[in-house]
Amino acid sequence: MAGVPGCGAAGQVDAAGVALKRRPGLHDGRDAMGMAEYDVVLLASFAQVEEWRKRHAQERSRGLFAQTVTTFNAWMMDLWELHGDGRAVVDPLQRQTVMQAAFERLACEHAPDDLAAQGADGAVGMQVASMHAADGADAGRCAGNRNGEDGVVSLALSPGVMKLSARCARDAAGVPAFERAVDLACAGNVPTELSVREALLLKGVGAYRDMLQGAGLIELGHVVAYLARHEREVFARPLRVLVNTGAPCDWHMEHLFESCSNLSVDVQVAQGAVGRISHGVALRFGFPSGRYAQAALVAQHVRALLGGERREGAGTAPTVVVAAKDPLSLYKQMEPELAGAGVQVCVQAQVPFSSTDFGRQLLSLCRVLQDEGDAWSKADLADALLPPFSGMSRRQGLQADRGLRADRLVAREAALASLRIASDTFSQLEEIAQDPEADILLGVFEQIAFGAPGRSQAWRMEQLAAASAVRSCTAAARLVGAGMAPCVQALRDAAVVVSYECVAETPQDAGRVVVTTQAAAAQMGLGSCDCLVLCDLTSEDYPVADKDDAAATLFGKLGLAANESALSRARCTFAMLMKLSRGELLCVRPLNDWDGNPTYPAAMLQELIDSYRADPTADDDVDDVFGLPDALRAGLLERGEELLFANASAASAEAVQQRACEVPRRPIGQVAPDRMSAVAVERRADDGRAIGFSPSPSQVEAYLDCPHKWFAQSRVKLEDLDEGFGALERGSYAHAVLQEFYCAFQALGFAKVAPDNLDEARRVMRSIAESVAREQFDLEPGSGRYVPTSQMEQREREACAKALVGYLDFEARFLPGFHPAYLEYRIDPERGVQYAGHPFIGTVDRIDVDDRGNAVVIDYKGSVGYAHEIAGKSAQLPGKVQARMYARAVERALGLNVVGAFYVSYGEKHAAAGAFDSRSIEAAHLPNMKVERSCCAAEDPWGAIDVEDFASLTFATMLDRTEQLVAAAMQAMAAGKVDASPSSSDSCAYCPVTACPKRGA
Ligand code: SF4
């Protein structure tokens, strides 16, 4: 479609660069008063309509009687109401919803049973086996689109495909060339000029068209086509139409004007490069050195402008319009400064539906409900539990979240059931999330938005807009009999219009600032503001390259050439913007982008500047930095980026950040005196009785590793909320298996695993490993249970059980003269054991004894290494101390002669490490052990009290020295010392204190 016949020849060009195109045979359309000869005047926006009406009503004695002034869409809707069949015109959200539903239904109808499944990316495959090229079998075209099966072509229902389809429907529905191609595709043929996938897409659009029809909805393009078909009734008498939107006619307009012989049309379009600004309007330029300085430059100028105007006593408060690429962000930066100056500021912008509180909570819940199988995200559910739309307080929501995360076995249904009981509002949100029929409940959430305490009016409006978007989608889904899935797809990409207004704290009626986009500003009425500020005028923010995307390709193949280029569109918008201000136009170009790279002026800015130059190709009449000729440098505004605080708050350059209060900076590891009691916590017995300060051996060991790391892990508790399936849980499982194994094995009459009973031991171990694994599922959530929830984790659990069976080979050779006498031996306060000056409480994994009254303490580990060996250990580098502490405590509790404190690995590598008395234990009885690194001296060296190296002391002296260093550690712990002091470089490896200055030091 090349254009409206007869409209191709441009008429004269007026001062503003506007050309009048007209059909031959028509008079020029202007009467003595200008536009009175037109029956219909079509403008770009209702704001322009209003402004036109006012202007022309004043100019003309008979007012606007018998003249229709409106927008094209509104004109079509009015005519549709009079002559149409009663169907409602679809809105963008309804279009997306119905489009998604239509494609999904088509996919299900055509898919073989096994293709109804979703793909990995969640897209549904649409396969159509009966697609033929219209010109016969075009094997080449079809082959390129095949999915491996002859004649079977698929189209993934991705968000991109849905957007493309919706754009086709919006821009080209009802246009004959497009409709013909859709009809062909629906009949199972591939139009000659299209690929098979493009034809599939059109087939989907055809299904959408049919679905709309059945639901009593209609595209605006089809409305236009209908009116064109019924032109004799609709346009019964000749009408003269002026299209004064500034842009060329779109395809719908062209189709109507071409089809209706009773319509004589003149089109006014902006042509040629941007020209000079009207006389009487001041042109100024602003150059912040970077993006960070732009808001401050604009705020300062607006503040100076509005203050000055009011002092001169102008009748009404002036209005400033600020057009920016991201109006919301600019508004948030400028609002405090301008509101403080008594200026009323408002913003009109769009935000994603998903960024509104209601939208985010609803979509999170939808994700939980729509996740396939058992894989559902508790993090998504956590979002849905936040106030106010969950009906829970923040505390209740967090508690519910913690409870769910601490139970890795909780099923989605069980979780949702518990939340339904906890909150009626949550169950209502859930109903909305899964059933379009439940949108009647949206009123509940609108009431919540109205009544939420401490929220701004703008926030309430934002939530209402989000609820309204949901209502639009669900209404469409109901009409076409679809579920909630198409609504969710549409809402994920939806944007809602937000409008914030800041009322100045001390209103001075200084003026009003409206922050919006260029496109929205261009729709405002001519001369509707006193100053227009155009921000972000860089080539990056306002490119003029034509898009060469899939839609353009498809339209091009159908002969639907774009009526305007990106450049002409930009010129058209800029031409309208230039007519907006009565007093001043300020053009702002940041000289550098966010990364500090130089920017280039937007094409429109450059054209504006060039219009003031005698020779735009010359390079000696403009300065190097701003690219301005001398004539335009008057009143130039600059702002540097070095004023960090002033720029961040959009304040004047002299602004200094006020200190609200002084918070003493505490060095890492220093706890406030009033919080000291939270460090050294008193221990309590199971019956609640106070025992006093008595940290467990594992706590002491962690404290010795690094006091601050211990503090972060044990007191601040920086660990994950989710119940895990890691080393901790594996350790709990292995400990339980090993304990039960020896109970069962000794009950069979075996004192210890030995080479001659190894087979029986393996049999028992296998059986115990399985039964303990089953019992894990009966344990309380958060108790350290080892419960796999996936195939991968199940295999991990089986590997652990296998390693435990393999461990028996090592066990059969380890300390053959000893046998387990105590398993999971608990030393509680009743035993009265004192250690390092405090009551000792702890559980020893295993105590083995021999026939001579000797004993060894065994602590099970997943692996052993340098830290467990006594070699190289000293008061400065204590290593692992648990087994050594147990050794001394067991001596005192049981009166045994403890001769070894061992860590034994049941993990992949079966080995042992620790400390032992070389006089009592033979090295040959310690397999898989670097004996020389765990062996204590036979006798103490001279002056042992000053000897640093623990390994050069006897086992008993080494235990004494260990107790001394533990006593010192407990004293420091009780005093609240939690400095970052790692005992070795390994300490920092898994430390949760990410910002520690000592890390790696
Ligand atoms: S990073 Fe290292 S020094 Fe810092 S707290 Fe953690 S373990 Fe201690």
Side-chain angles (χ1 to χ4, degrees):
M1 192 179 293
V4 179
C7 290
Q12 72 272 24
V13 178
D14 71 9
V18 175
L20 192 67
K21 297 181 177 184
R22 75 178 67 88
R23 302 177 66 151
L26 265 180
H27 51 80
D28 69 2
R30 295 171 187 253
D31 66 359
M33 299 307 292
M35 301 294 171
E37 291 301 313
Y38 289 107
D39 302 296
V40 179
V41 178
L42 301 176
L43 302 175
S45 68
F46 287 113
Q48 291 179 4
V49 168
E50 194 181 333
E51 185 273 335
W52 174 287
R53 284 180 190 280
K54 278 186 198 159
R55 183 152 46 93
H56 288 271
Q58 286 165 5
E59 287 172 1
R60 295 166 55 179
S61 55
R62 62 188 175 99
L64 297 173
F65 182 71
Q67 189 178 54
T68 300
V69 184
T70 185
T71 65
F72 177 75
N73 286 4
W75 188 39
M76 290 298 100
M77 305 267 258
D78 286 347
L79 292 174
W80 176 249
E81 273 195 20
L82 284 173
H83 304 281
D85 60 13
R87 281 181 283 164
V89 176
V90 74
D91 69 26
L93 274 174
Q94 291 173 329
R95 178 185 298 125
Q96 287 281 1
T97 306
V98 178
M99 188 68 77
Q100 183 81 27
F103 270 77
E104 284 179 8
R105 190 171 295 173
L106 194 63
C108 289
E109 283 170 6
H110 288 275
D113 290 345
D114 59 339
L115 286 172
Q118 289 193 339
D121 58 354
V124 180
M126 183 174 78
Q127 302 216 3
V128 182
S130 58
M131 193 63 90
H132 307 290
D135 57 349
D138 187 339
R141 265 185 321 126
C142 291
N145 292 288
R146 280 175 188 169
N147 258 13
E149 290 178 53
D150 283 350
V152 177
V153 178
S154 73
L155 185 71
L157 300 196
S158 64
V161 167
M162 286 302 98
K163 273 188 197 154
L164 176 60
S165 311
R167 188 173 152 196
C168 287
R170 183 197 65 191
D171 292 350
V175 177
F178 183 78
E179 292 297 326
R180 270 194 301 276
V182 170
D183 290 341
L184 260 180
C186 288
N189 298 316
V190 180
T192 323
E193 60 278 17
L194 301 186
S195 71
V196 180
R197 277 212 174 82
E198 285 167 337
L200 273 178
L201 186 123
L202 294 186
K203 183 168 182 164
V205 175
Y208 161 76
R209 185 180 62 186
D210 296 343
M211 196 176 256
L212 271 191
Q213 168 107 19
L217 297 170
I218 188 168
E219 272 289 345
L220 187 73
H222 290 134
V223 166
V224 174
Y226 177 95
L227 296 174
R229 278 198 307 278
H230 298 81
E231 61 154 330
R232 291 191 183 285
E233 303 98 75
V234 179
F235 306 111
R237 66 179 180 89
L239 290 177
R240 284 150 301 188
V241 180
L242 173 66
V243 180
N244 192 15
T245 58
C249 292
D250 63 20
W251 296 326
H252 299 313
M253 287 178 172
E254 283 189 348
H255 175 48
L256 184 80
F257 299 150
E258 276 178 359
S259 309
C260 301
S261 54
N262 263 347
L263 297 182
S264 307
V265 186
D266 287 339
V267 184
Q268 282 191 334
V269 290
Q271 288 194 331
V274 169
R276 296 187 178 193
I277 193 94
S278 308
H279 290 301
V281 178
L283 177 59
R284 298 185 70 178
F285 294 87
F287 292 97
S289 62
R291 300 277 182 181
Y292 294 101
Q294 177 172 259
L297 182 146
V298 175
Q300 281 305 104
H301 181 66
V302 168
R303 187 176 167 175
L305 182 74
L306 296 185
E309 294 259 346
R310 293 305 294 150
R311 275 194 295 276
E312 285 165 18
T316 53
T319 300
V320 177
V321 174
V322 180
K325 196 74 185 170
D326 182 356
L328 199 54
S329 156
L330 188 66
Y331 164 82
K332 284 179 180 169
Q333 280 181 278
M334 297 197 304
E335 179 255 334
E337 168 73 5
L338 294 180
V343 177
Q344 187 188 358
V345 199
C346 68
V347 62
Q348 294 160 358
Q350 288 192 329
V351 296
F353 172 81
S354 56
S355 74
T356 64
D357 282 354
F358 181 68
R360 186 174 53 252
Q361 288 192 236
L362 183 67
L363 287 181
S364 298
L365 191 51
C366 288
R367 276 198 296 279
V368 171
L369 295 167
Q370 289 184 0
D371 280 341
E372 288 299 308
D374 296 333
W376 60 287
S377 163
K378 288 179 187 165
D380 280 336
L381 192 53
D383 270 353
L385 298 180
L386 291 173
F389 299 113
S390 65
M392 299 183 207
S393 67
R394 180 166 290 274
R395 173 181 280 268
Q396 288 171 325
L398 291 176
Q399 271 176 350
D401 177 40
R402 193 164 50 213
L404 292 174
R405 290 202 190 196
D407 184 358
R408 68 195 325 261
L409 291 183
V410 69
R412 173 172 39 193
E413 261 319 306
L416 292 172
S418 69
L419 293 170
R420 273 178 226 132
I421 293 168
S423 164
D424 284 345
T425 311
F426 178 86
S427 66
Q428 288 165 331
L429 188 67
E430 188 189 356
E431 281 188 59
I432 293 173
Q434 53 192 355
D435 184 4
E437 300 280 349
D439 64 355
I440 193 168
L441 295 171
L442 283 167
V444 172
F445 296 91
E446 288 167 336
Q447 285 304 322
I448 290 175
F450 271 124
R455 304 288 191 162
S456 67
Q457 191 60 16
W459 179 87
R460 296 179 210 285
M461 292 300 115
E462 198 175 303
Q463 310 318 311
L464 294 182
S468 169
V470 177
R471 198 172 271 121
S472 185
C473 292
T474 50
R478 275 203 316 274
L479 286 172
V480 299
M484 214 35 211
C487 301
V488 174
Q489 287 294 343
L491 289 168
R492 276 183 189 150
D493 290 330
V496 295
V497 176
V498 293
S499 172
Y500 292 112
E501 179 149 0
C502 158
V503 180
E505 287 170 17
T506 50
Q508 297 166 19
D509 197 21
R512 185 162 187 268
V513 177
V514 180
V515 189
T516 186
T517 60
Q518 268 197 15
Q523 305 291 306
M524 294 178 178
L526 309 184
S528 57
C529 67
D530 299 280
C531 174
L532 172 66
V533 182
L534 298 177
C535 298
D536 306 307
L537 291 180
T538 68
S539 58
E540 188 186 357
D541 284 311
Y542 294 102
V544 288
D546 283 315
K547 276 190 188 165
D548 189 14
D549 55 12
T553 306
L554 176 60
F555 290 147
K557 287 179 178 179
L558 296 175
L560 296 172
N563 284 346
E564 58 176 346
S565 65
L567 179 63
S568 65
R569 201 161 37 246
R571 283 174 171 163
C572 176
T573 303
F574 211 81
M576 290 200 270
L577 289 170
M578 285 174 67
K579 296 177 192 164
L580 207 67
S581 173
R582 296 184 293 264
E584 182 180 293
L585 172 64
L586 171 64
C587 296
V588 181
R589 170 167 81 92
L591 294 173
N592 294 287
D593 64 15
W594 293 110
D595 298 327
N597 300 315
T599 62
Y600 296 92
M604 296 305 101
L605 175 63
Q606 194 59 59
E607 286 193 354
L608 176 64
I609 294 170
D610 287 346
S611 71
Y612 288 86
R613 299 171 61 197
D615 178 9
T617 60
D619 56 7
D620 55 354
D621 64 336
V622 293
D623 65 277
D624 290 342
V625 180
F626 308 123
L628 292 180
D630 285 344
L632 296 181
R633 276 193 216 124
L636 187 144
L637 302 171
E638 288 184 79
R639 177 89 176 195
E641 280 195 301
E642 65 284 355
L643 304 163
L644 295 179
F645 167 72
N647 281 344
S649 53
S652 67
E654 297 75 40
V656 179
Q657 188 167 17
Q658 298 298 314
R659 197 181 298 177
C661 68
E662 188 156 342
V663 180
R665 187 172 175 189
R666 217 173 283 286
I668 187 166
Q670 216 181 71
V671 180
D674 60 326
R675 306 297 300 164
M676 203 65 86
S677 59
V679 178
V681 182
E682 255 205 8
R683 197 120 175 224
R684 294 194 170 269
D686 294 342
D687 58 6
R689 201 166 21 89
I691 296 167
F693 180 59
S694 172
S696 70
S698 62
Q699 294 267 326
V700 172
E701 188 173 277
Y703 185 86
L704 284 168
D705 194 24
C706 175
H708 198 68
K709 179 177 168 182
W710 164 79
F711 178 68
Q713 287 178 324
S714 300
R715 294 294 178 259
V716 184
K717 293 193 183 294
L718 294 178
E719 75 269 26
D720 202 347
L721 283 178
D722 294 293
E723 186 179 32
F725 188 79
L728 198 69
E729 292 76 21
R730 191 164 51 248
S732 299
Y733 167 69
H735 276 68
V737 171
L738 289 165
Q739 185 206 358
E740 288 202 21
F741 163 75
Y742 256 117
C743 287
F745 194 59
Q746 289 184 335
L748 293 175
F750 302 104
K752 186 183 184 312
V753 177
D756 58 347
N757 60 27
L758 201 45
D759 287 344
E760 182 64 9
R762 289 186 187 122
R763 188 191 63 74
V764 174
M765 179 64 94
R766 281 192 199 100
S767 159
I768 294 291
E770 282 310 308
S771 66
V772 172
R774 283 193 297 275
E775 286 164 10
Q776 296 290 300
F777 289 88
D778 300 328
L779 299 180
E780 283 292 311
S783 61
R785 61 188 182 165
Y786 192 52
V787 282
T789 57
S790 65
Q791 289 279 326
M792 185 87 86
E793 290 178 350
Q794 177 66 19
R795 277 202 289 277
E796 225 177 282
R797 207 273 304 154
E798 286 164 5
C800 179
K802 196 172 165 194
L804 286 167
V805 175
Y807 161 79
L808 295 174
D809 288 331
F810 166 83
E811 177 73 20
R813 295 183 290 132
F814 184 63
L815 293 175
F818 288 77
H819 66 272
Y822 303 89
L823 302 169
E824 296 291 325
Y825 179 72
R826 171 106 178 136
I827 303 175
D828 47 32
E830 277 65 42
R831 296 187 189 276
V833 175
Q834 290 281 314
Y835 185 86
H838 296 277
F840 186 93
I841 304 170
T843 303
V844 191
D845 289 347
R846 193 171 120 188
I847 303 167
D848 284 16
V849 297
D850 68 5
D851 299 337
R852 294 176 289 160
N854 294 325
V856 294
V857 165
I858 290 175
D859 198 31
Y860 293 126
K861 293 287 176 199
S863 64
V864 295
Y866 171 75
H868 300 96
E869 297 166 343
I870 199 65
K873 304 304 178 298
S874 63
Q876 288 71 44
L877 181 57
K880 302 291 181 189
V881 297
Q882 278 194 70
R884 287 183 261 155
M885 290 175 70
Y886 283 132
R888 181 49 47 89
V890 165
E891 281 179 355
R892 290 174 185 162
L894 295 171
L896 294 169
N897 177 38
V898 179
V899 294
F902 294 107
Y903 299 95
V904 173
S905 165
Y906 56 78
E908 283 180 13
K909 286 186 184 167
H910 305 123
F916 68 95
D917 187 340
S918 59
R919 294 166 302 183
S920 307
I921 297 177
E922 289 181 42
H925 294 164
L926 297 169
N928 300 1
M929 186 179 195
K930 293 173 184 162
V931 174
E932 70 288 354
R933 299 192 59 80
S934 296
C935 176
C936 289
E939 51 182 68
D940 286 323
W942 184 83
I945 195 154
D946 294 324
V947 171
E948 293 284 321
D949 182 7
F950 284 3
S952 59
L953 302 170
T954 60
F955 184 72
T957 309
M958 181 274 297
L959 292 185
D960 291 342
R961 294 287 290 277
T962 299
E963 188 168 357
Q964 285 168 14
L965 78 88
V966 169
M970 286 188 177
Q971 203 175 354
M973 197 190 272
K977 289 187 180 165
V978 289
D979 47 325
S981 172
S983 65
S984 75
S985 55
D986 292 346
S987 307
C988 303
Y990 298 105
C991 177
V993 187
T994 49
C996 177
K998 294 272 188 78
R999 178 177 286 277

